[in-house]
Amino acid sequence: MGARHGLRRGHAAAASTCPFLAFAVLLALPALAAGDTHYYTFNVQMTNVTRLCVTKSIPTVNGQFPGPKLVVREGDRLVVKVHNHINYNVSFHWHGVRQMRNGWADGPSYITQCPIQGGQSYVYDFTVTGQRGTLWWHAHFSWLRVHLYGPLVILPKRGEGYPFPRPYKEVPILFGEWFNGDTESIINQALQTGGGPNVSDAYTFNGLPGPTYNCSAQDTYKLKVKPGRTYMLRLINSALNDELFFGIANHTLTVVEADANYVKPFTVQTLVISPGQTMNVLLTTTPNPSSPAYAMAVSPYTNSQGTFDNTTAAAVLEYAPTPPAAARTLPLPSLPLYNDTGAVTNFSRNFRSLASAEYPALVPMAVDRHVLFTVGLGTDPCPSNQTCQGPNGTKFAASINNNSFFRPRTALLEAHYQRRYAGVLLANFPTTPPHPFNYTGTPPNNTFVMHGTRVVPLAFNTSVELVLQGTSIQGAESHPLHLHGYDFFVVGQGFGNFDPVNDPPKYNLADPVERNTISVPTAGWVALRFFADNPGVWLMHCHFDVHLSWGLSMAWLVNDGPLPNQKMLPPPSDLPKC
């Protein structure tokens, strides 16, 4: 947020390449005393990478897969100059960063910016305000985030500790997916045929598949530990289309944070983490280990009626060096079956905010706007000149309140800032289902969706209660929904259809967990509350990229407030053009 510190974009870009200039600029800016400024350069380039004995050229940041770790403190400013050297358009999202008044740095293509075209550059310039914990960054164009992702670690302010004993060491672990095929070709073919896309060939720990896959024993992530120490694992699910179970053989995990919000600690053998979600967990190693190494593993959770990657990836918790052959013989932790919704429910019920004096849970108690969104799959009719591979000869689609998002020609945030809505967006997104039915029972005969670029307008500081209702159309499954620009409180959830009379009295308004990504339960619902205190246009979407490609997204348009510090900042001069 360069304008906030009186620093124009041109200066920020120059400072990123000249440390002496950066130092001079910082000396001239007393407002920066509250936090440091961190400069990073992202060169998006094609790099040859080999996994599962398959070598392919993939987009990377600075030749790294996964991409570089960014480390800041709460209150710091982050300036990331992106140079796009590949033939695809690209943009980057700083997942979970609230981007107060500064949607220009949020990153989703055609929502807050036009994408960065090949040969072009853009500077993401923002301040991390009131947040600390584990977040992450990823590409937000088509399926490019399958390779373009990395951790964003936000440390507490100097002099502030954690609300739990300080760990001996902190380690980011990113769960991902590897496709032997070209993912852009995979999703393009699926959109053309209307069928489901090919699934991944492996899951990964920090980009490595590990010994359960063909010719991958050498590509195994090893976490070297000492006996009797406490490690904090910064877990990130960056997988494209899969929720994942995670566990470590013969060890327990204590969850202390979710989506960069502290939670009341709870201990589990196995956890489940959805795409987009982050969790910090404490792992206390065994004082006298009976084995030199133990297996860590992830496997999928899904109720999908279609195909999915039903494999298990392993990594090694290593007390003493072990050869690759030994890693293959390590017993895996006991993970739930792929469709064990009960295990997911039991785990999810543990989450509570600290709700302490230092970290209060500022839940909206009164609600200005009640919104009910149905979330799920649907269909589009097959064009008359082709054969389609979706349900009953149709094409797969996905929608919120039967509206499947249609990508605009230009960025919605720019259109809003310029008050140029005609031909770009409509402010009539339905806030209740247009065709009520038994959402988790027998689906309606007509499963066709509507298409449009529609938003829900909100006055500044409106308190919103949003109920996300899963549907059984094309099969009931959970959907991880991510809201850009906001955290929200998860005040209630359940199975079946939401009951507006009997369910709200059961809400937890005392210490509900605060998150930015939540899974709508399989054949169930979840209730969220938030204050619309961040002006701009903010995407909300399913973090299964296949569902996002099918249109499972919408946008909130939050208007400016009356005070100067409640209004959107002006766009930067280097904002990409469509």
Side-chain angles (χ1 to χ4, degrees):
M1 291 162 53
R4 181 172 180 170
H5 302 308
L7 178 62
R8 295 197 308 275
R9 281 287 174 132
H11 290 167
S16 66
T17 57
C18 177
F20 299 103
L21 179 55
F23 182 68
V25 170
L26 292 179
L27 285 180
L29 291 171
L32 284 176
D36 297 329
T37 300
H38 304 265
Y39 295 94
Y40 290 91
T41 298
F42 276 19
N43 284 300
V44 183
Q45 62 198 62
M46 301 303 291
T47 304
N48 285 336
V49 173
T50 302
R51 298 288 186 272
L52 311 182
C53 285
V54 173
T55 300
K56 64 176 187 174
S57 184
I58 66 170
T60 62
V61 169
N62 302 342
Q64 300 176 43
F65 172 64
K69 177 174 72 173
L70 308 187
V71 182
V72 300
R73 290 189 181 274
E74 178 185 347
D76 284 357
R77 180 173 163 218
L78 193 55
V79 181
V80 183
K81 186 161 190 177
V82 176
H83 303 282
N84 184 9
H85 302 290
I86 64 176
N87 292 327
Y88 297 110
N89 291 345
V90 75
S91 66
F92 285 95
H93 173 50
W94 318 93
H95 185 113
V97 176
R98 290 215 51 200
Q99 304 291 4
M100 298 302 296
R101 303 168 52 219
N102 187 29
W104 313 108
D106 191 44
S109 293
Y110 301 104
I111 307 298
T112 59
Q113 67 168 96
C114 298
I116 308 164
Q117 299 176 28
Q120 302 297 310
S121 302
Y122 181 49
V123 177
Y124 291 94
D125 187 347
F126 56 94
T127 298
V128 178
T129 305
Q131 294 181 279
R132 83 292 306 160
T134 300
L135 295 174
W136 63 301
W137 58 264
H138 60 80
H140 216 298
F141 183 90
S142 188
W143 279 21
L144 293 185
R145 77 172 181 86
V146 70
H147 301 125
L148 296 173
Y149 63 87
L152 172 53
V153 174
I154 307 170
L155 301 172
K157 292 179 180 177
R158 294 187 191 280
E160 290 186 7
Y162 299 123
F164 45 82
R166 183 178 177 181
Y168 170 70
K169 192 174 182 181
E170 303 177 10
V171 184
I173 298 180
L174 296 96
F175 307 129
E177 286 182 275
W178 174 265
F179 293 74
N180 285 335
D182 175 69
T183 43
E184 290 304 288
S185 299
I186 288 171
I187 182 55
N188 289 338
Q189 181 185 25
L191 294 175
Q192 178 67 30
T193 65
N198 292 343
V199 301
S200 55
D201 294 283
Y203 299 111
T204 58
F205 282 77
N206 288 345
L208 299 172
T212 60
Y213 297 104
N214 179 44
C215 70
S216 296
Q218 300 292 340
D219 292 330
T220 298
Y221 173 69
K222 294 183 178 181
L223 173 58
K224 296 176 172 57
V225 296
K226 295 181 179 179
R229 304 281 187 147
T230 297
Y231 293 78
M232 185 162 78
L233 310 183
R234 296 179 176 269
L235 305 179
I236 300 166
N237 186 349
S238 46
L240 212 56
N241 291 312
D242 288 278
E243 299 179 275
L244 295 168
F245 291 114
F246 169 69
I248 304 176
N250 293 53
H251 290 72
T252 58
L253 303 167
T254 301
V255 181
V256 294
E257 187 183 285
D259 292 356
N261 287 289
Y262 296 130
V263 298
K264 290 183 171 72
F266 64 94
T267 300
V268 294
Q269 299 285 334
T270 302
L271 59 81
V272 64
I273 183 168
S274 300
Q277 290 185 336
T278 62
M279 268 175 230
N280 283 359
V281 300
L282 300 180
L283 164 70
T284 299
T285 55
T286 305
N288 299 295
S290 58
S291 169
Y294 298 86
M296 306 188 284
V298 291
S299 65
Y301 163 64
T302 183
N303 288 93
S304 171
Q305 295 183 356
T307 57
F308 64 97
D309 181 354
N310 193 14
T311 63
T312 298
V316 177
L317 185 74
E318 189 175 77
Y319 286 85
T322 56
R328 286 198 291 268
T329 63
L330 291 176
L332 294 171
S334 179
L335 298 180
L337 293 175
Y338 71 87
N339 59 355
D340 192 343
T341 295
V344 174
T345 304
N346 291 336
F347 174 73
S348 301
R349 285 177 177 157
N350 290 305
F351 285 91
R352 295 284 186 273
S353 288
L354 286 183
S356 62
E358 189 174 2
Y359 304 104
L362 303 176
V363 192
M365 291 298 173
V367 175
D368 301 322
R369 289 285 299 274
H370 288 269
V371 179
L372 174 62
F373 282 169
T374 54
V375 177
L377 303 185
T379 56
D380 278 329
C382 187
S384 57
N385 60 345
Q386 74 174 88
T387 301
C388 294
Q389 298 173 6
N392 300 314
T394 62
K395 302 182 78 167
F396 269 116
S399 69
I400 298 175
N401 275 356
N402 208 48
N403 187 89
S404 188
F405 188 80
F406 183 79
R407 195 182 80 186
R409 301 187 311 272
T410 188
L412 300 186
L413 185 64
E414 202 169 1
H416 170 53
Y417 185 80
Q418 298 170 351
R419 302 297 189 266
R420 186 171 43 83
Y421 305 112
V424 180
L425 64 90
L426 294 170
N428 63 352
F429 192 95
T431 54
T432 56
H435 307 292
F437 62 100
N438 181 3
Y439 305 120
T440 55
T442 303
N445 291 327
N446 182 0
T447 61
F448 290 157
V449 301
M450 304 294 288
H451 292 266
T453 308
R454 299 180 173 92
V455 302
V456 174
L458 294 172
F460 181 81
N461 221 30
T462 299
S463 57
V464 179
E465 179 177 303
L466 169 63
V467 175
L468 298 168
Q469 172 69 61
T471 65
S472 58
I473 297 175
Q474 311 306 336
E477 57 182 302
S478 63
H479 295 274
L481 267 289
H482 170 50
L483 176 59
H484 289 230
Y486 287 89
D487 285 343
F488 47 73
F489 291 96
V490 183
V491 297
Q493 56 188 319
F495 291 105
N497 298 334
F498 173 73
D499 184 331
V501 174
N502 295 313
D503 285 327
K506 305 171 191 172
Y507 284 173
N508 172 17
L509 300 178
D511 61 350
V513 68
E514 195 172 3
R515 306 204 70 153
N516 63 57
T517 305
I518 189 69
S519 269
V520 182
T522 300
W525 57 271
V526 62
L528 321 173
R529 286 189 181 183
F530 64 95
F531 287 107
D533 59 357
N534 191 10
V537 179
W538 304 104
L539 184 66
M540 190 177 78
H541 64 95
C542 185
H543 227 281
F544 291 151
D545 273 29
V546 60
H547 293 175
L548 178 60
S549 298
W550 287 339
L552 210 168
S553 61
M554 57 79 64
W556 302 86
L557 190 158
V558 180
N559 285 291
D560 285 351
L563 302 177
N565 66 351
Q566 298 171 342
K567 299 182 188 302
M568 282 174 55
L569 295 171
S573 59
D574 62 340
L575 190 69
K577 302 285 189 288
C578 282

